Amino acid sequence: MKFNHIKILVFGAVALLSASGCGDLEDINKEKLGNPENFYSDYAAVVNPMKSMQRGLQSDYQLYPNLSADMFSGMFSTATPFNGGKNNMSYFMMDGWNNRIIARQQDIFNYSIIIDDAAKTIYPDTDFTATFAVKKIIKIFTASRVSDSHGPVVYSKYETPNPNGTTDFDSQQDAYNFFIKDLDAAIVNLQKVQNMPVTGNEGDKSALTKADLVFGGNIGQWAKFANSLKLRLAMRMSYADPAKSKQYAEEALASSAGLITDNADNALISVGQSELSFIIYSWGDCLIGAPLMAYMNGYNDPRLPAYAIPATDSQVLGSYIGIRQGIDLLNGKTTYGGFSQPQAKSATGDYFSGTNGKMKLFTAAEGWFLKAEAALRGYAGAGDAKTNYENGVKQSFGEWGKTADVATYLANTTATEAPYIDPKNAANNINAGDAQLSTITIAWNDADSTERKLERIITQKWLSLYPNGPEAWAEQRRTGYPILFKIRQNDSGGLISTDAMIRRIPFTNDTKTSLYNYQQASQMLNGPDNGGTKLWWDKKL
């Protein structure tokens, strides 16, 4: 498949798309707007594409992120030997899977253009300040995930191609600064509308309420999410640009927008049918990851029954056991299909539901763990590292309906990650004393070194991020924590180090042959375009 940069025009009440290539955006033409007059009523020409932007974050979920970031994070695995067992999990990069990363971004950004044109041509008298701010936040969230996979990303120049038709990338460093700048602008605009009289921007508020699958039109919560996302991105820069990381983080910590630090404000997209519902339970292509189960078993973690289903295999019946990534799966599902399946039964519902699923963008636990790390680094306004760390664990336990167990968990001074025993193949075992097993405990210890405190924070943060594989993988690469199991079968042809593990996802042939300026992007990598080259923010030695 070959895709080109797509331009969108809206003529009157009909959105006409001209696209070349693989046709990933044909569904836009089928937007369920009803009869032509419905474009004008209830702001449908803005509302429906806004919903599609949000739902688009889980489109093609199996190809991305499930068969890449989810697996690399240590949270998930598979018993399916895709491509004869040589695939992303064994560092044989699957071009046809990985091309969905940019394709999904294109879909979401093109919906954004549809909204812009609809606002201009269909609703010229309506001020969509808040709605457009939310749209901007969704685009930043989307582009940041693309950047955290590939590095350079088409963001600031997406709608401004060069005279020769090519479209330029932003380096990851530039992109991150653009993200922060645009989040600041979005927060200003959201607070502007929030502070208006009740009758101010009525059309804008009405459209957002109808379109918002996350907060139901709550402008203050969107501002809080944008500021929380700013803190996330600021901390991601901690090793690559410590000065700006500190500046941006301190701005977020001091912002009147606030941060997501209570589960009532969690950012979860209501997606209807979670794509994981059929990937896991119908197809059987996704099981739980061995590292996640090893940590949770070792910690006797009360969240375990909310995260995973006991194994049905007769050799491990009733236990919680995952599959190690990058191994010989032997006879595939026949061998490993009875190991534990993932689930996500939160206190407020089933994230993997086939009818009322949720996609996790940002939760209170992450907010507290970000503050804990910021405090550890001495950032102003971050508070106390121990208090923030313990609040992060408490909020995570609250998210999963385990609040009654949190005090005992936080007081545990001895539990560590459990060894991993594979009853199907002892060569996959991670025995006690192996360097691939963490020795980090749960209870906060002021006497620990700064690095050991960081490992404790990030390990618990990783546990709380479940099932957000992309964020978990990004943080593991940035900090080195949690300690994960290395793959046993490396099919990268020497391009990716087994010990250093995969650092990024290479650009695919679709990008190389498109009107995106791939030559420019490849020069921004400061290394070859393969999975062993570190991203800009991946600077910890």
Side-chain angles (χ1 to χ4, degrees):
M1 291 184 294
K2 176 179 178 180
F3 62 78
N4 291 320
H5 191 61
I6 298 166
K7 288 297 175 183
I8 298 170
L9 299 174
V10 176
F11 297 100
V14 182
L16 299 177
L17 302 180
S18 62
S20 62
C22 61
D24 294 321
L25 299 179
E26 290 177 1
D27 57 331
I28 298 177
N29 286 322
K30 302 173 184 177
E31 197 69 49
K32 296 179 181 178
L33 297 176
N35 295 322
E37 62 268 19
N38 289 339
F39 274 86
Y40 298 93
S41 65
D42 298 325
Y43 300 104
V46 166
V47 168
N48 286 347
M50 276 286 287
K51 288 181 178 178
S52 294
M53 287 183 73
Q54 296 161 81
R55 291 182 179 130
L57 286 167
Q58 76 145 4
S59 295
D60 282 343
Y61 196 95
Q62 183 175 39
L63 298 184
Y64 176 78
N66 191 242
L67 289 174
S68 54
D70 279 356
M71 304 291 172
F72 303 148
S73 75
M75 290 181 170
F76 297 91
S77 191
T78 185
T80 307
F82 296 103
N83 194 45
K86 292 178 61 175
N87 52 60
N88 281 356
M89 277 63 76
S90 65
Y91 296 170
F92 183 85
M93 293 289 96
M94 299 292 288
D95 195 87
W97 296 359
N98 299 331
N99 65 17
R100 312 320 294 162
I101 299 170
I102 287 179
R104 290 283 71 81
Q105 181 202 4
Q106 287 187 308
D107 284 5
I108 290 168
F109 275 43
N110 285 325
Y111 280 123
S112 174
I113 298 172
I114 287 179
I115 294 167
D116 290 344
D117 288 341
K120 184 185 300 182
T121 60
I122 301 174
Y123 314 112
D125 298 325
T126 301
D127 179 353
F128 288 106
T129 296
T131 304
F132 278 20
V134 169
K135 179 166 68 72
K136 186 186 295 288
I137 296 165
I138 296 168
K139 289 175 65 179
I140 294 166
F141 182 91
T142 302
S144 68
R145 281 199 166 184
V146 174
S147 183
D148 289 346
S149 294
H150 291 313
V153 60
V154 175
Y155 176 72
S156 69
K157 308 292 197 324
Y158 189 85
E159 297 179 41
T160 55
N162 299 313
N164 67 356
T166 62
T167 302
D168 286 342
F169 283 78
D170 296 314
S171 69
Q172 186 171 59
Q173 180 176 9
D174 286 345
Y176 261 63
N177 285 296
F178 283 131
F179 297 158
I180 298 290
K181 178 183 176 183
D182 287 350
L183 285 170
D184 285 342
I187 292 168
V188 168
N189 284 336
L190 288 167
Q191 291 185 319
K192 173 185 173 183
V193 177
Q194 186 181 18
N195 293 329
M196 286 180 178
V198 176
T199 56
N201 271 43
E202 288 182 297
D204 184 19
K205 294 173 184 175
S206 174
L208 182 57
T209 298
K210 293 179 175 69
D212 184 3
L213 302 178
V214 182
F215 297 121
N218 188 313
I219 293 171
Q221 286 181 305
W222 272 105
K224 191 173 290 188
F225 172 47
N227 193 48
S228 300
L229 186 55
K230 177 179 178 177
L231 181 59
R232 173 194 284 179
L233 299 176
M235 298 310 297
R236 188 90 86 241
M237 301 166 68
S238 59
Y239 293 103
D241 193 339
K244 282 193 174 178
S245 171
K246 184 174 187 291
Q247 174 194 334
Y248 293 152
E250 290 179 348
E251 289 172 359
L253 290 163
S255 173
S256 60
L259 296 165
I260 295 177
T261 53
D262 187 278
N263 286 321
D265 294 325
N266 287 350
L268 309 169
I269 300 178
S270 296
V271 294
Q273 182 180 27
S274 167
E275 292 199 10
L276 279 167
S277 68
F278 49 84
I279 295 169
I280 298 169
Y281 309 122
S282 297
W283 301 346
D285 283 340
C286 178
L287 284 90
I288 207 76
L292 182 61
M293 294 296 94
Y295 277 100
M296 299 190 88
N297 281 320
Y299 290 154
N300 194 24
D301 197 312
R303 294 168 291 187
L304 188 48
Y307 283 24
I309 298 170
T312 58
D313 184 284
S314 60
Q315 288 183 270
V316 287
L317 186 65
S319 65
Y320 293 99
I321 182 170
I323 301 174
R324 190 171 169 183
Q325 181 194 336
I327 62 170
D328 181 352
L329 290 168
L330 304 175
N331 293 315
K333 293 178 185 178
T334 301
T335 304
Y336 287 101
F339 280 32
S340 292
Q341 291 181 315
Q343 63 178 359
K345 296 291 182 68
S346 81
T348 57
D350 180 3
Y351 292 170
F352 298 164
S353 168
T355 57
N356 190 29
K358 307 286 185 182
M359 182 177 177
K360 188 167 173 175
L361 304 182
F362 196 105
T363 61
E366 182 182 353
W368 283 109
F369 286 122
L370 287 168
K371 290 181 67 175
E373 183 183 351
L376 196 65
R377 296 182 182 279
Y379 292 0
D384 176 68
K386 176 180 183 289
T387 301
N388 294 341
Y389 166 79
E390 292 183 345
N391 281 335
V393 176
K394 289 174 183 176
Q395 288 296 321
S396 179
F397 272 54
E399 178 187 353
W400 300 100
K402 307 298 180 183
T403 300
D405 302 311
V406 72
T408 300
Y409 184 84
L410 282 170
N412 191 319
T413 60
T414 58
T416 58
E417 182 183 12
Y420 175 70
I421 306 300
D422 183 349
K424 306 297 182 180
N425 186 353
N428 297 328
N429 291 354
I430 307 288
N431 297 309
D434 194 303
Q436 294 177 82
L437 288 177
S438 173
T439 61
I440 199 66
T441 50
I442 300 168
W444 188 263
N445 184 357
D446 280 323
D448 278 340
S449 67
T450 298
E451 190 63 27
R452 192 159 176 83
K453 289 175 182 175
L454 179 65
E455 181 180 1
R456 180 170 288 115
I457 290 168
I458 301 300
T459 299
Q460 289 297 326
K461 178 181 180 181
W462 176 78
L463 289 169
S464 76
L465 283 169
Y466 178 83
N468 187 348
E471 185 60 23
W473 181 43
E475 285 296 83
Q476 200 281 332
R477 285 176 289 161
R478 177 179 72 92
T479 65
Y481 304 122
I483 296 171
L484 298 178
F485 304 158
K486 295 174 172 56
I487 65 170
R488 295 199 62 248
Q489 177 181 320
N490 189 328
D491 293 316
S492 71
L495 298 179
I496 303 172
S497 164
T498 299
D499 288 336
M501 309 177 80
I502 185 167
R503 312 312 298 180
R504 63 179 288 274
I505 297 172
F507 288 111
T508 65
N509 288 329
D510 278 357
T511 301
K512 294 175 183 178
T513 58
S514 74
L515 289 178
Y516 280 179
N517 191 347
Y518 169 71
Q519 292 304 317
Q520 175 209 35
S522 64
Q523 293 168 6
M524 291 174 170
L525 289 172
N526 295 316
D529 182 11
N530 62 42
T533 295
K534 290 186 174 184
L535 300 180
W536 164 74
W537 48 249
D538 188 1
K539 290 292 194 293
K540 187 178 181 184
L541 300 178

